[in-house]
Amino acid sequence: MRTPPHVVAYRSVTAAITVLILLSAGLGLAGYGPLATLHRAAHPVSHALHLDRISG
Amino acid sequence: MAEQGRRAVVSNYPQDYHYTYPVAIALGCAAALGLALFTVALVRALVVDPDLIEPAADQAEQEAARPAGPGEFAPDLAWPFYPFRQSRADLGQARRNVAENNAAIWRRPARWFFHDAVGWWILFPIPAVIICFLTLASLVSWFCYLVYTLVTSICSAASLLLLVLAGTLLRAAERRRRSRVRTEAACMRCFYVSPWPAYQCPTCLHLHHDVRPGRLGLILRRCECGTHLLTRASRAAWQVTPVCKRCQAPMAPGAGAVRDIRIPVFGDISAGKTRFLYASLSSLMGSAERAGLAVTFPDDASRDQAEFGLGVIKADRETAKTSTNVQVALTSRLGGGRKSELVHLFDAAGEHFRSARRPDVLRFLDDGQGLVYILDPFSVETVRRQLGGADAPVVQAARAAAGDPQLTYDEVASRLRDTGVPASRGRLAVVVSKADLLRSAGLDLPAGSDEIAQWLWDLGVHNLVMAARRDFAEVRFFMVASQAIPPGDPGDPGAPLRWLLRVHGSQLPAEPADTAARSDAGRPGDRTGPPPRFRSGSGRHARPVPDERAEARS
């Protein structure tokens, strides 16, 4: 019997959310999570501020 | 160079690369294997080989969990919402697949290391490394499954909450509409009355007995065959064929969605029931025409019957005796579309009412919302005496009912009591028929309900008057001539029908004469109608009627 569209839609949504969560977790463990990315992006700025502070 | 305050993960010593990177790569491979195990399991569970809960399986489960009681039906064959059943099936299938995949990758290593070839442990630490690798892969796959379970459970719980809430609101709205409009579905074949009928899928012809919003759909439901059907009787009744739940006879379009009024007519043999039925219908059509309401007949049998009966009335021909083998059920539709009303008139041969306790033949009496009792005045001995005896020409022409009018009434009232029908909440129109013949014989006939009741009382039919007022919530008395009389004229046979229709919320407007009669008859809803003593007047109306409540008590 053919799978009804609403079942396909529900399955797609739950599978997609699961994939997103696993992807986020995997990237986070690999060092590409949002916090690590933010940290890397902010690093030049903080480093410059640090240099400004120690240079007086 | 490591920054100050931060500890380097990998130092500058080259031997660190020899340990750290291989371990990291092995861990990554194990995690990837775990992810692959889960992905394969999920794809198999959702796409390749899913455990699809079909409507028949769901129905069997529901039936097993809560077997249908007497008069109930098994759940309908339609696809349930995903969170109600299919989500559990998918989780179960995914769990089985993950377990199978893990068992597959562990099968050979387990045999090698723990059963057949334990000699592998000589090559320690290779077995330990492989076991750690597989353990990590398994843990990752089960972790992924855990995430999927959480996602599915949370989504299902949220959906269930919304669906149950919306379903409850929609059901409440539909229940309120049913109560306000007084929608019901009456079968004209078996006379079974249900709050709503079954609706037949136009594709697979399966019956859907309960189309209320619920686990099978809020706005739409998907039949087993894939056809979309509207939920709620107020909408489904116009989309698919309504069918009687008991005998599966097709019903009029809109059954279960529009106001449904059933009026049985009863009385003794030759009392004039059938003639009254057609004459009142003729008057009703006249009233409806004045009000701009269309009167149609939803089925061929009713249409043919009405055409024949109206022809008899208009041509002033004699009405044939109703056969004892048939029960006449005439359905008409007042108005059009979703605001229309279905009016059912029932008639049966008078012989049946002499033994009215038979359960099958007079089933329509039990669900009538208003009853019409036809009283033949020529069956009253006093009237016959006043007209010159049984051999008088007018009495002969009237072909009077032979039985005592009280007996027929008592039979029907007993039947209603025995079958548990709350007649005390019903309304009864007592119709004195053949008024034209009485007038032609020179009798002075009363007009208002109270006056007619008093007239009957004076004629010796006081037991019937008293019993009717005791048994029913409201009783009105009418004097009609079953002829083609314009609505509102004296003797109008449509007056009893209009009264009963209007008290049940019909859109049919009252004729001015009806309004006048109502103001005479006292407050509607009174258990005994007018005050216990009828107003005194001259002539035959002079005698006051004793308090029937007091008599009933005594």
Side-chain angles (χ1 to χ4, degrees):
Chain A
M1 199 169 277
R2 199 162 157 247
T3 308
H6 74 270
V7 173
V8 175
Y10 257 100
R11 284 172 171 170
S12 305
V13 168
T14 50
I17 294 173
T18 307
V19 167
L20 278 177
I21 290 173
L22 292 176
L23 200 63
S24 304
L27 287 173
L29 281 175
Y32 296 99
L35 287 176
T37 308
L38 193 66
H39 183 76
R40 266 197 300 278
H43 178 66
V45 179
S46 64
H47 188 62
L49 289 173
H50 178 68
L51 288 179
D52 287 349
R53 197 167 64 241
I54 62 174
S55 65
Chain B
M1 187 177 119
E3 295 172 32
Q4 188 179 5
R6 292 183 66 190
R7 190 181 167 203
V9 176
V10 178
S11 69
N12 287 332
Y13 296 106
Q15 59 267 32
D16 283 352
Y17 290 98
H18 298 155
Y19 301 118
T20 311
Y21 276 99
V23 169
I25 289 169
L27 290 178
C29 288
L33 178 62
L35 192 63
L37 290 177
F38 169 72
T39 305
V40 169
L42 192 65
V43 169
R44 277 180 55 207
L46 300 187
V47 182
V48 179
D49 183 25
D51 178 16
L52 191 61
I53 303 298
E54 296 177 1
D58 181 59
Q59 185 192 45
E61 284 181 6
Q62 294 288 315
E63 178 76 5
R66 201 181 73 84
E72 294 181 340
F73 298 92
D76 295 333
L77 278 173
W79 292 89
F81 271 128
Y82 184 82
F84 282 99
R85 184 63 187 86
Q86 187 61 51
S87 62
R88 275 188 289 135
D90 284 350
L91 282 177
Q93 187 72 357
R95 190 185 64 246
R96 280 191 293 275
N97 290 348
V98 170
E100 273 179 23
N101 290 351
N102 276 301
I105 62 164
W106 276 98
R107 194 169 298 126
R108 284 190 180 181
R111 201 169 62 231
W112 291 341
F113 302 144
F114 301 111
H115 291 96
D116 301 341
V118 285
W120 273 95
W121 288 100
I122 296 169
L123 299 176
F124 192 84
I126 289 177
V129 169
I130 292 175
I131 288 172
C132 288
F133 181 84
L134 293 180
T135 304
L136 183 63
S138 293
L139 285 175
V140 168
S141 67
W142 282 114
F143 172 75
C144 294
Y145 171 74
L146 181 68
V147 171
Y148 174 67
T149 304
L150 284 175
V151 168
T152 304
S153 302
I154 291 170
C155 287
S156 295
S159 304
L160 274 178
L161 189 67
L162 286 175
L163 290 172
V164 169
L165 194 65
T168 307
L169 288 175
L170 286 171
R171 277 189 183 217
E174 186 72 357
R175 192 165 49 243
R176 191 172 167 203
R177 183 185 182 278
R178 269 204 311 276
S179 155
R180 183 170 50 84
V181 183
R182 300 182 190 180
T183 61
E184 280 178 326
C187 175
M188 291 301 102
R189 189 162 82 185
C190 67
F191 305 127
Y192 179 66
V193 177
S194 54
W196 59 84
Y199 296 102
Q200 194 170 38
C201 172
T203 310
C204 66
L205 305 182
H206 261 126
L207 295 184
H208 291 251
H209 290 97
D210 187 358
V211 293
R212 288 178 298 172
R215 64 192 299 279
L216 299 180
L218 284 181
I219 309 294
L220 291 170
R221 64 166 52 185
R222 192 182 179 86
C223 181
E224 187 186 29
C225 66
T227 307
H228 280 111
L229 301 174
L230 291 170
T231 59
R232 290 191 283 166
S234 57
R235 304 188 314 146
W238 304 102
Q239 185 205 23
V240 291
T241 308
V243 170
C244 173
K245 283 183 177 177
R246 178 174 286 179
C247 71
Q248 301 186 1
M251 292 175 154
V258 298
R259 192 187 306 278
D260 194 272
I261 305 175
R262 301 169 297 279
I263 301 179
V265 179
F266 70 99
D268 202 0
I269 303 167
S270 297
K273 299 180 293 299
T274 307
R275 193 168 183 85
F276 165 79
L277 190 142
Y278 293 131
S280 62
L281 182 67
S282 170
S283 173
L284 186 77
M285 291 176 77
S287 295
E289 192 179 349
R290 283 187 195 176
L293 293 170
V295 178
T296 53
F297 301 95
D299 56 274
D300 291 340
S302 293
R303 190 178 307 113
D304 295 345
Q305 217 169 23
E307 279 176 9
F308 170 76
L310 293 173
V312 167
I313 295 298
K314 282 172 185 163
D316 203 17
R317 295 201 306 269
E318 287 287 326
T319 315
K321 164 89 180 68
T322 306
S323 166
T324 53
N325 296 324
V326 294
Q327 288 85 45
V328 175
L330 198 154
T331 301
S332 57
R333 186 187 296 280
L334 201 58
R338 291 173 189 268
K339 290 189 175 176
S340 62
E341 298 160 2
L342 288 172
V343 179
H344 310 282
L345 300 173
F346 301 96
D347 178 29
E351 287 85 347
H352 293 304
F353 297 108
R354 291 188 172 179
S355 54
R357 297 185 198 191
R358 288 166 60 189
D360 47 347
V361 182
L362 302 178
R363 170 80 177 79
F364 58 81
L365 283 173
D366 305 341
D367 293 303
Q369 290 144 320
L371 291 169
V372 178
Y373 173 54
I374 306 294
L375 194 157
D376 183 358
F378 292 93
S379 65
V380 179
E381 179 60 31
T382 317
V383 173
R384 285 203 297 267
R385 273 206 309 272
Q386 286 178 3
L387 295 173
D391 297 330
V394 67
V395 177
Q396 291 288 331
R399 289 190 295 181
D404 182 352
Q406 178 74 34
L407 293 179
T408 305
Y409 173 82
D410 285 345
E411 276 290 327
V412 171
S414 299
R415 178 198 166 92
L416 295 180
R417 271 195 299 274
D418 293 348
T419 49
V421 176
S424 56
R425 293 205 300 267
R427 288 174 173 83
L428 174 72
V430 177
V431 175
V432 179
S433 62
K434 305 177 184 175
D436 50 324
L437 293 176
L438 290 178
R439 278 202 189 88
S440 67
L443 285 188
D444 181 23
L445 300 180
S449 175
D450 293 348
E451 288 77 5
I452 297 168
Q454 180 68 59
W455 181 73
L456 288 172
W457 187 284
D458 292 341
L459 291 174
V461 198
H462 50 277
N463 281 337
L464 191 145
V465 174
M466 201 165 58
R469 291 195 157 154
R470 184 188 59 220
D471 293 338
F472 288 85
E474 192 177 359
V475 183
R476 293 253 174 106
F477 295 85
F478 299 88
M479 183 82 73
V480 306
S482 295
Q483 294 172 324
I485 296 176
D489 284 9
D492 172 19
L497 211 55
R498 278 198 301 276
W499 171 60
L500 290 173
L501 289 177
R502 284 185 51 73
V503 293
H504 285 95
S506 172
Q507 56 189 322
L508 189 72
E511 295 292 337
D514 299 343
T515 315
R518 187 161 56 247
S519 63
D520 287 347
R523 191 161 48 87
D526 280 354
R527 180 162 172 73
T528 53
R533 284 179 181 276
F534 303 149
R535 71 174 72 88
S536 302
S538 58
R540 64 168 66 89
H541 296 165
R543 183 185 155 202
V545 176
D547 187 341
E548 57 266 28
R549 278 183 177 170
E551 288 207 3
R553 279 196 296 273
S554 67

Short mmCIF file of all heavy atoms in Angstrom, two decimals, chain B residues 3 7 39 44-45 87 135 148 153 158 177 189 234 247 312 362 416 446 477 483-484 497:
data_model
loop_
_atom_site.label_atom_id
_atom_site.label_comp_id
_atom_site.label_asym_id
_atom_site.label_seq_id
_atom_site.Cartn_x
_atom_site.Cartn_y
_atom_site.Cartn_z
N GLU B 3 50.08 30.13 22.29
CA GLU B 3 49.92 31.43 22.93
C GLU B 3 50.02 31.28 24.44
O GLU B 3 49.81 30.21 24.99
CB GLU B 3 48.55 32.00 22.56
CG GLU B 3 48.42 32.31 21.10
CD GLU B 3 47.00 32.68 20.76
OE1 GLU B 3 46.33 33.26 21.63
OE2 GLU B 3 46.57 32.35 19.65
N ARG B 7 47.02 25.88 26.40
CA ARG B 7 47.86 24.68 26.36
C ARG B 7 47.74 24.06 24.99
O ARG B 7 46.63 23.87 24.48
CB ARG B 7 47.36 23.72 27.43
CG ARG B 7 48.29 22.55 27.63
CD ARG B 7 47.73 21.63 28.69
NE ARG B 7 48.46 20.39 28.66
CZ ARG B 7 47.97 19.27 29.12
NH1 ARG B 7 46.73 19.24 29.58
NH2 ARG B 7 48.70 18.17 29.10
N THR B 39 22.58 5.48 9.86
CA THR B 39 21.98 6.01 8.63
C THR B 39 21.33 4.88 7.83
O THR B 39 20.20 5.01 7.35
CB THR B 39 23.04 6.72 7.78
OG1 THR B 39 23.67 7.69 8.60
CG2 THR B 39 22.42 7.39 6.58
N ARG B 44 16.53 2.33 5.95
CA ARG B 44 15.74 1.11 5.80
C ARG B 44 14.39 1.23 6.52
O ARG B 44 13.36 0.79 6.03
CB ARG B 44 16.50 -0.09 6.37
CG ARG B 44 17.51 -0.67 5.38
CD ARG B 44 18.25 -1.84 5.99
NE ARG B 44 17.34 -2.88 6.47
CZ ARG B 44 17.64 -3.72 7.46
NH1 ARG B 44 18.80 -3.64 8.08
NH2 ARG B 44 16.78 -4.64 7.83
N ALA B 45 14.42 1.87 7.71
CA ALA B 45 13.19 1.96 8.51
C ALA B 45 12.18 2.92 7.91
O ALA B 45 10.98 2.72 8.04
CB ALA B 45 13.54 2.39 9.94
N SER B 87 4.46 6.83 14.36
CA SER B 87 5.75 7.25 14.93
C SER B 87 6.33 6.12 15.78
O SER B 87 7.54 5.87 15.74
CB SER B 87 5.56 8.52 15.78
OG SER B 87 4.68 8.27 16.84
N THR B 135 33.13 -1.05 19.59
CA THR B 135 32.32 -0.53 20.72
C THR B 135 31.99 0.93 20.49
O THR B 135 30.85 1.37 20.68
CB THR B 135 33.08 -0.70 22.04
OG1 THR B 135 33.42 -2.07 22.19
CG2 THR B 135 32.24 -0.23 23.21
N TYR B 148 17.46 10.50 17.47
CA TYR B 148 16.27 10.35 16.61
C TYR B 148 15.02 10.07 17.45
O TYR B 148 13.95 10.62 17.21
CB TYR B 148 16.50 9.21 15.61
CG TYR B 148 15.28 8.88 14.79
CD1 TYR B 148 14.78 9.79 13.86
CD2 TYR B 148 14.62 7.66 14.94
CE1 TYR B 148 13.64 9.49 13.12
CE2 TYR B 148 13.50 7.36 14.20
CZ TYR B 148 13.01 8.27 13.29
OH TYR B 148 11.88 7.98 12.56
N SER B 153 9.98 11.75 19.50
CA SER B 153 9.09 11.80 20.66
C SER B 153 8.63 13.24 20.93
O SER B 153 7.44 13.48 21.19
CB SER B 153 9.79 11.25 21.89
OG SER B 153 10.20 9.94 21.65
N ALA B 158 4.39 17.16 20.77
CA ALA B 158 3.90 18.51 20.43
C ALA B 158 2.74 18.42 19.45
O ALA B 158 1.72 19.12 19.61
CB ALA B 158 5.05 19.33 19.84
N ARG B 177 -23.26 22.80 17.39
CA ARG B 177 -24.08 23.02 16.20
C ARG B 177 -25.21 21.98 16.14
O ARG B 177 -26.34 22.31 15.81
CB ARG B 177 -23.21 22.92 14.95
CG ARG B 177 -23.97 23.20 13.68
CD ARG B 177 -23.14 22.99 12.44
NE ARG B 177 -23.92 23.32 11.26
CZ ARG B 177 -24.79 22.50 10.70
NH1 ARG B 177 -24.99 21.30 11.19
NH2 ARG B 177 -25.48 22.87 9.65
N ARG B 189 -36.19 3.75 5.88
CA ARG B 189 -36.45 2.34 5.62
C ARG B 189 -36.62 1.56 6.93
O ARG B 189 -37.57 0.83 7.10
CB ARG B 189 -35.33 1.73 4.79
CG ARG B 189 -35.68 0.33 4.31
CD ARG B 189 -34.81 -0.09 3.17
NE ARG B 189 -33.52 -0.60 3.63
CZ ARG B 189 -32.53 -0.96 2.84
NH1 ARG B 189 -32.65 -0.84 1.53
NH2 ARG B 189 -31.40 -1.40 3.33
N SER B 234 -21.45 18.03 9.37
CA SER B 234 -21.99 19.24 8.74
C SER B 234 -21.36 19.49 7.38
O SER B 234 -21.93 20.21 6.56
CB SER B 234 -21.78 20.45 9.65
OG SER B 234 -20.42 20.60 9.94
N CYS B 247 -29.28 -0.10 8.54
CA CYS B 247 -29.68 -0.92 7.39
C CYS B 247 -28.92 -0.52 6.12
O CYS B 247 -29.11 -1.13 5.07
CB CYS B 247 -31.18 -0.81 7.16
SG CYS B 247 -31.69 0.80 6.51
N VAL B 312 -54.72 13.86 -5.18
CA VAL B 312 -55.98 13.42 -4.57
C VAL B 312 -56.65 14.57 -3.83
O VAL B 312 -57.86 14.81 -3.96
CB VAL B 312 -55.71 12.23 -3.61
CG1 VAL B 312 -56.93 11.95 -2.74
CG2 VAL B 312 -55.34 11.00 -4.39
N LEU B 362 -44.24 -0.11 14.19
CA LEU B 362 -44.44 1.30 14.51
C LEU B 362 -43.19 1.92 15.14
O LEU B 362 -43.28 2.77 16.03
CB LEU B 362 -45.64 1.45 15.45
CG LEU B 362 -46.95 0.90 14.90
CD1 LEU B 362 -48.06 1.04 15.91
CD2 LEU B 362 -47.33 1.60 13.60
N LEU B 416 -45.24 4.07 24.05
CA LEU B 416 -44.19 5.06 24.32
C LEU B 416 -43.64 4.86 25.73
O LEU B 416 -42.42 4.95 25.94
CB LEU B 416 -44.75 6.47 24.16
CG LEU B 416 -45.18 6.85 22.74
CD1 LEU B 416 -45.72 8.27 22.71
CD2 LEU B 416 -44.01 6.74 21.76
N PRO B 446 -66.12 24.67 17.55
CA PRO B 446 -65.21 25.64 18.18
C PRO B 446 -63.98 25.85 17.31
O PRO B 446 -63.68 25.04 16.43
CB PRO B 446 -64.85 24.96 19.49
CG PRO B 446 -65.01 23.51 19.22
CD PRO B 446 -66.10 23.37 18.21
N PHE B 477 -55.10 21.38 20.49
CA PHE B 477 -56.25 20.75 19.82
C PHE B 477 -56.58 21.54 18.57
O PHE B 477 -56.58 22.78 18.59
CB PHE B 477 -57.45 20.71 20.77
CG PHE B 477 -57.21 19.83 21.97
CD1 PHE B 477 -56.55 20.32 23.09
CD2 PHE B 477 -57.60 18.51 21.97
CE1 PHE B 477 -56.31 19.51 24.19
CE2 PHE B 477 -57.37 17.69 23.06
CZ PHE B 477 -56.72 18.19 24.18
N GLN B 483 -58.82 19.01 3.36
CA GLN B 483 -59.08 19.41 1.98
C GLN B 483 -58.03 20.44 1.57
O GLN B 483 -57.23 20.88 2.40
CB GLN B 483 -60.48 20.01 1.86
CG GLN B 483 -61.58 18.99 2.12
CD GLN B 483 -62.94 19.64 2.18
OE1 GLN B 483 -63.07 20.76 2.68
NE2 GLN B 483 -63.95 18.94 1.70
N ALA B 484 -58.10 20.84 0.32
CA ALA B 484 -57.15 21.83 -0.16
C ALA B 484 -57.60 23.22 0.31
O ALA B 484 -58.21 23.98 -0.43
CB ALA B 484 -57.07 21.78 -1.68
N LEU B 497 -49.34 20.90 11.79
CA LEU B 497 -47.99 20.65 11.30
C LEU B 497 -47.11 21.89 11.51
O LEU B 497 -45.95 21.78 11.94
CB LEU B 497 -48.06 20.30 9.81
CG LEU B 497 -47.01 19.35 9.28
CD1 LEU B 497 -47.00 18.07 10.07
CD2 LEU B 497 -47.26 19.07 7.81
#
